[in-house]
Every structure is written in C-alpha cells, then in structure tokens.
Amino acid sequence: MATPQQYYRDLPPVSKTYGVICLMTTGAYHLGLLHIRTIALVYEDVLKRFQVWKLITNFFFLGPFSLTFAFRLLLIARHGVQLERGPFDKRTADYLWMYFFGAISLLVMSIIPVLWSPFMGASMVFMLVYVWSREFPNARINVHGLFELKGFYLPWYMLAVDLVLGNPLKPDLLGMATGHLYYFLTVLYPLAGGKYIFKTPLWVHKLVAFWGEGFQLNTLVQRNSDAGSSFQGRSYRLGGSRTSDSSRAQASGDVQARASAAAQARTSPQANRADGVASRGRSHRLGSR
C-alpha cells in the first residue's frame, strides 16, 4: 500500500493543484489569516473597486472545516482524479479547459441575482461529479455498505442527501447544469452529427506547456522543459558548440573502421556463398535456395 507521500506524488496535476489550493484557502480562513470578504464574489467590488481576483478566488473556498468540506475534498480526490486518469488521460489541457469552462459558465449564471452565490467552489465540485457520472455511467458505487448505485445516478443521490440534510440545493443544481452543458457541447452534440467547435483554446495549451506538468496529445505547443524545476541538471562547458580535436579524430577513426569493415565484408568468401542471400541482414530475395 502506498504511503501518503507516494499517494500525493502520484496524483494527476490539475486535480492535485485544485484540491491543495482549496485546502490551503480553508486553512488560512480557519487560522484567521484570510478574511472571507477578500475572496467572496461580489460584483460591486469587481466592477467599482476593480477587485478582479474575486472572479477566481471564490472557486477555491469549499466552506469551513467540517464534514461537508471533507466530503467535497474527497470528491475531488476520487472522481476528479478518476476523470483525469481515465477519459482525460494524456489530455491535461482539455481537462484544465473543462475547469475554465465551468468557471466561466458559473460566473455568467451568477449575474442573475437569483443564481448568485458568493462562493461557487461547491458548484465546481458538483460539475466534476456530474461529468464523472456521464463518463462512468455503469460504475458500481457502494453506498455506506447498504446498497449499490450506478454511477449515472450519483449526482441525483447527492442532491437527495443535501435535501435531507437541509443543505442548499442551488450549488448542486448549478453544478449539474454546467456539467451537462459541457458534456453536451463536447460529447453529445458531436456524436449526434454536429460539428465539434468546442475545442480547447490555444492559450490553454500554452498555459499547460508553460506549467510543465501533465501531458497533452496532438498539441502544437511544445512543453516548457524548464518549468517545474529550478535546476534541470544540464551543464555545458564553455565553447561547447565547437568540436574538440580529439572528438574529431575519434569520429574520423570510427568512420574509417566502419568503411574497412564494409570493404572486408564485400571481399569475404562467406559473403559470396551461393546460398541466395543478397544481404547478411534480415531480408532475402525471392527464389532463394
């Protein structure tokens, strides 16, 4: 069984980063290092006081330390990680774009006063759960050892649990709506014959390449080899672009040795055996005896 350090090291980059930031945000709030007003989404502060960071920071607060917070963090560590390792394997940019799309959609929805919420991290987590339920609809989930549930019905079960516990349902419903919109545009609509126009933007690919974490197939942007490490262990000596005399001599000797070996092979009696072999390699001409 893996140690906690090994488990943390093996987590995929996007889910790990988002979970750690959420944990650190709640920890800072619990220790009194962070005032909740400074990260809450208040459009008056954004538009009039230019506190634009609140458009991002509100997604990193999952609530104070509680069972609800632990449960949401567990959803990221389980279902978010399964998504990143499964359907989004080797598609880090596409998975990160899903987060960006969810954030943008939730911000647009929150413009409507009825749908506004100061913190939409819970909706983001519920979006992950909904997308997971569509990607793993036949997965069997053991619910507290009482009964099994198909993955497709997991969001509805969680919605029912929040209803019984008296938790607000608006974050769950917003997350489900955002997740369904994303899944429709990226999977259902193209499968129905529609044109796939919802591609991951180039700037997301560049961001992943600059970040240096994860991997993206079929990308036109090369990964930043210097990202994620302060020292790559590469050293170059001065004048390294020039070839030394000893190196040139060694290379010349190797070429001459290969040339003499080839000449010897052509004149060797074994090479002229009448066995129909034109080459001592793997290929044989047709009609060999």
Side-chain angles (χ1 to χ4, degrees):
M1 187 175 180
T3 62
Q5 182 179 4
Q6 182 67 32
Y7 171 78
Y8 173 79
R9 207 166 33 230
D10 293 339
L11 287 175
V14 178
S15 299
K16 176 170 65 176
T17 302
Y18 182 62
V20 168
I21 294 177
C22 291
L23 179 61
M24 293 177 61
T25 302
T26 301
Y29 167 74
H30 183 75
L31 296 175
L33 303 176
L34 179 66
H35 195 278
I36 206 66
R37 174 82 181 186
T38 60
I39 61 174
L41 177 62
V42 181
Y43 279 108
E44 183 180 359
D45 295 340
V46 174
L47 299 176
K48 295 183 179 180
R49 300 178 180 86
F50 301 103
Q51 298 178 358
V52 293
W53 64 84
K54 294 185 176 182
L55 297 173
I56 302 175
T57 55
N58 74 93
F59 291 102
F60 299 138
F61 187 71
L62 302 180
F65 284 130
S66 61
L67 289 177
T68 302
F69 168 81
F71 184 65
R72 290 169 178 169
L73 200 63
L74 182 63
L75 291 176
I76 299 174
R78 179 176 175 81
H79 301 292
V81 168
Q82 285 186 358
L83 276 177
E84 194 168 357
R85 287 176 174 172
F88 291 93
D89 185 31
K90 296 181 175 61
R91 295 172 55 201
T92 304
D94 296 338
Y95 187 65
L96 183 61
W97 171 238
M98 184 182 69
Y99 277 80
F100 283 127
F101 172 81
I104 295 172
S105 301
L106 290 171
L107 289 174
V108 172
M109 293 180 185
S110 65
I111 295 177
I112 305 174
V114 179
L115 303 179
W116 173 82
S117 178
F119 302 102
M120 291 184 289
S123 299
M124 180 71 75
V125 173
F126 215 89
M127 181 199 71
L128 296 177
V129 174
Y130 183 86
V131 175
W132 179 91
S133 70
R134 300 306 300 264
E135 294 288 352
F136 300 93
N138 296 319
R140 309 299 297 186
I141 303 174
N142 190 302
V143 181
H144 310 299
L146 300 177
F147 58 91
E148 285 190 349
L149 190 70
K150 280 190 174 183
F152 180 80
Y153 300 105
L154 178 61
W156 304 100
Y157 168 76
M158 294 175 55
L159 191 68
V161 170
D162 285 338
L163 178 63
V164 172
L165 296 179
N167 295 330
L169 301 181
K170 183 170 65 175
D172 300 351
L173 295 174
L174 290 176
M176 291 178 67
T178 305
H180 183 75
L181 180 61
Y182 173 82
Y183 193 76
F184 174 80
L185 292 175
T186 57
V187 179
L188 297 181
Y189 183 67
L191 287 178
K195 186 178 180 181
Y196 182 67
I197 58 176
F198 194 73
K199 297 181 180 179
T200 302
L202 181 62
W203 63 268
V204 180
H205 288 271
K206 292 183 178 180
L207 179 61
V208 172
F210 178 78
W211 187 16
E213 296 289 341
F215 183 77
Q216 176 69 34
L217 292 174
N218 302 325
T219 181
L220 300 177
V221 181
Q222 294 184 354
R223 178 176 175 177
N224 181 13
S225 60
D226 296 331
S229 176
S230 58
F231 179 68
Q232 292 292 326
R234 298 180 180 180
S235 60
Y236 301 91
R237 59 183 176 84
L238 297 177
S241 58
R242 300 177 181 177
T243 305
S244 62
D245 295 337
S246 60
S247 299
R248 286 196 297 268
Q250 183 179 1
S252 177
D254 292 341
V255 172
Q256 292 178 1
R258 287 196 295 268
S260 62
Q264 183 179 2
R266 287 193 297 269
T267 59
S268 175
Q270 295 181 353
N272 298 323
R273 290 188 307 173
D275 57 355
V277 179
S279 173
R280 302 311 300 177
R282 296 181 178 179
S283 60
H284 303 270
R285 62 190 170 108
L286 298 177
S288 62
R289 297 177 182 178

